[in-house]
Amino acid sequence: MPARDGGGARFPGGGTGAAAGRAAAAARCRRRPRGRDRRGGQQRLRGGRPVAGSGSWQFPFPGWVYLVGGGPGDPGLLTARARRLLEGAEVIVFDPGLEGCLRSVAAPTAQRVAVTGEGAGEGADATVPASGAGTVVAAGLVASRLARWVREGLRVVRLYRGDPATSPAARDEARRLVAAGVPFLVVPGVPSGAGSIPGVALEPPLSGLRVLVTRAAEQAGELAEAIRLLGGEPVEAPLIAIRPVTEAGELDEYLRDGGHGWWAFTSVNAVRAVAHRLQALGLDARALAGARLAAVGEATRAELARLGLRADLVPREFTGEHLWSALAAEIVPGERVVWPRGDRADTAPAERLRGRGADLRAPVAYRTVLQPQEARAAREELLAGRLDVLTFASPSAVEAFVEGVGRDVTARCLDPRQAPRPVGQRPRVVCIGPRSAERARRLGLPVDRVPAQYTAAGLVSALVEQGTAQGGE
């Protein structure tokens, strides 16, 4: 039997136990030139051990396979050891349902291999994830592939759903590794049924629902984590990306002279873009100390607070329309209002400020880049009927979705005349606010819910309401 992490490991023909493990590992290390990685390049050392960034410090024993428990698929439930191994792995062979762990932890350069067929881990089905693993391998061939890759000098992790100790696939693959003469170490994981209490029926509100998350990668984590905590499975497709502007001369000019008038922030992205330019200019939040600040909602207010800035105005309803209305009532003729905005922002609603005599300046602070290519995986999921809810947090994400999925697939799978699940077959569509909903309807998508609060938290509440409705119909 394989040993647990922290104890001995199995060595074919060499006995078991930590001493045997250290001896075999030392023998392998002696065959490799000291201070060089397997590619012949010099390792970066600190205190006699490789630095985290070289990738190999997480793998203390070259030539081993690491059999790692991935838990129920929630990245927050990975052990610290599992996270370190995934961060440094060059090849990760994983069970279906663990894609979220890889997106959150694994290095982007790691080769990801999905297991398909019988025995694909504890509690997992045998379907191949459509989210794209790069390649797949049949369950019966996993052990031979692990042996081949580790002999090639690659850092290899086999990631199981649940705990390897209770996985029939792990036991079978461990026996095959022993027969092949390949040593391995077992890293425990949270059982896939964790979170339940025996004898008590506790059904999370989003249990069994697969939810498409289309926010930018740096903003999707919070929403995806909330979906997991509520029992759902987020399917992440970052359909937009936020990029800094290459020419920021106008914004920089206002920041150097930012201590008067109003600054209007209509998104968290705008706050972060301003923070980026302040740092580039060698300034800090004190540059805006004499100005008054308006924030479109609670998330934007919180982002300002992280910079040490307090919002003087937040509208009761978190939309740009309400922000401009509230600000129009505050300004005096001739007062300057700086609005750092995205390049795709609609400037028409802000024009009312000029009607009140304001000196409106609207420098572009960041660019919103559509990434329709990220919708390819979502397209396959949609065609296969494996998506229960689609979420959109911006009009740009709606545009990228329709462009990437294709209008023909959109019309076929998201016909507004069809009833949503569970009565009908199409997924439900939830938009974060009226602007996203308007764009969705204009592009032919149905809109089943817009939350009362136009925030990520409101979007989660709307998902819970949808989940409850699906369970009760």
Side-chain angles (χ1 to χ4, degrees), residues 60-118:
F61 304 129
W64 288 30
V65 174
Y66 289 79
L67 309 182
V68 178
D74 182 348
L77 294 178
L78 287 171
T79 65
R81 176 63 58 81
R83 295 182 74 90
R84 290 198 299 271
L85 290 169
L86 289 172
E87 288 168 358
E90 294 172 298
V91 180
I92 303 172
V93 182
F94 66 97
D95 286 341
L98 299 176
E99 298 83 3
C101 296
L102 301 188
R103 281 190 293 267
S104 298
V105 181
T109 55
Q111 181 182 359
R112 306 176 187 193
V113 183
V115 178
T116 179
E118 292 294 331

Side-chain angles (χ1 to χ4, degrees), residues 118 146 317 321 419 430 439:
E118 292 294 331
L146 295 175
E317 292 192 44
E321 291 277 353
V430 180
R439 190 69 52 85

Side-chain angles (χ1 to χ4, degrees), residues 49 59 61 72 78-79 100 114 116 121 156 159 161 173 175 227 234 243 253 267 312 321 367 378 444:
R49 61 184 300 180
F59 288 74
F61 304 129
L78 287 171
T79 65
T116 179
V156 182
L159 189 65
R161 190 172 176 89
E173 290 163 14
R175 284 193 291 266
I227 292 170
R243 301 281 186 260
E253 176 186 346
S267 71
D312 300 285
E321 291 277 353
R367 296 184 301 113

Side-chain angles (χ1 to χ4, degrees), residues 43-58:
Q43 289 183 349
R44 293 173 288 164
L45 299 179
R46 181 182 300 150
R49 61 184 300 180
V51 177
S54 66
S56 59
W57 70 275
Q58 299 96 330

Side-chain angles (χ1 to χ4, degrees), residues 338-361:
V338 179
W339 171 31
R341 63 182 178 87
D343 63 328
R344 300 174 67 87
D346 182 5
T347 59
E351 289 297 323
R352 73 183 63 181
L353 298 182
R354 288 198 172 99
R356 294 296 300 269
D359 178 17
L360 178 64
R361 312 290 180 90

Side-chain angles (χ1 to χ4, degrees), residues 16 89 100 134 144 189 216 253 274 276 278 312 364 427 446 451:
T16 60
S144 63
E253 176 186 346
V274 166
H276 174 74
L278 284 172
D312 300 285
V364 174

Side-chain angles (χ1 to χ4, degrees), residues 4 68-74 76-79 122 160-164 166 187-195:
R4 306 289 271 183
V68 178
D74 182 348
L77 294 178
L78 287 171
T79 65
E122 174 191 342
Y160 299 94
R161 190 172 176 89
D163 185 359
T166 58
V187 178
V190 176
S192 61

Side-chain angles (χ1 to χ4, degrees), residues 207-439:
S207 180
L209 295 184
R210 304 187 80 237
V211 182
L212 182 68
V213 178
T214 59
R215 304 191 83 179
E218 63 271 17
Q219 297 177 318
E222 182 178 348
L223 179 58
E225 179 69 12
I227 292 170
R228 290 188 192 95
L229 288 174
L230 294 169
E233 180 184 345
V235 179
E236 297 182 40
L239 298 181
I240 61 172
I242 307 301
R243 301 281 186 260
V245 293
T246 54
E247 296 292 335
E250 184 182 3
L251 176 60
D252 291 351
E253 176 186 346
Y254 300 141
L255 288 172
R256 292 189 183 99
D257 183 33
H260 64 91
W262 282 88
W263 283 72
F265 293 93
T266 52
S267 71
V268 169
N269 294 323
V271 179
R272 292 174 178 170
V274 166
H276 174 74
R277 292 310 308 163
L278 284 172
Q279 184 179 25
L281 295 170
L283 302 173
D284 57 28
R286 289 173 293 183
L288 303 181
R292 301 177 71 186
L293 308 180
V296 72
E298 287 299 330
T300 306
R301 185 217 298 262
E303 195 66 25
L304 285 169
R306 291 188 185 97
L307 297 180
L309 296 171
R310 180 178 62 84
D312 300 285
L313 174 67
V314 179
R316 291 187 177 182
E317 292 192 44
F318 303 154
T319 68
E321 291 277 353
H322 287 89
L323 176 67
W324 303 128
S325 296
L327 191 53
E330 295 286 333
I331 60 175
V332 296
E335 192 169 23
R336 189 181 76 174
V337 178
V338 179
W339 171 31
R341 63 182 178 87
D343 63 328
R344 300 174 67 87
D346 182 5
T347 59
E351 289 297 323
R352 73 183 63 181
L353 298 182
R354 288 198 172 99
R356 294 296 300 269
D359 178 17
L360 178 64
R361 312 290 180 90
V364 174
Y366 63 92
R367 296 184 301 113
T368 302
V369 180
L370 302 189
Q371 300 188 130
Q373 69 277 8
E374 295 289 342
R376 284 196 294 261
R379 182 179 189 273
E380 299 305 317
E381 297 274 16
L382 190 62
L383 287 169
R386 290 195 292 259
L387 291 175
D388 300 295
V389 185
L390 313 182
T391 65
F392 297 102
S394 69
S396 299
V398 177
E399 294 175 14
F401 176 83
V402 173
E403 180 181 343
V405 170
R407 289 185 177 271
D408 55 336
V409 174
T410 300
R412 188 191 327 165
C413 301
L414 294 168
D415 187 343
R417 296 169 298 180
Q418 296 177 354
R421 295 177 180 173
V423 176
Q425 293 300 314
R426 72 164 175 83
R428 294 176 182 254
V429 178
V430 180
C431 295
I432 198 170
R435 289 182 60 242
S436 300
E438 178 187 1
R439 190 69 52 85

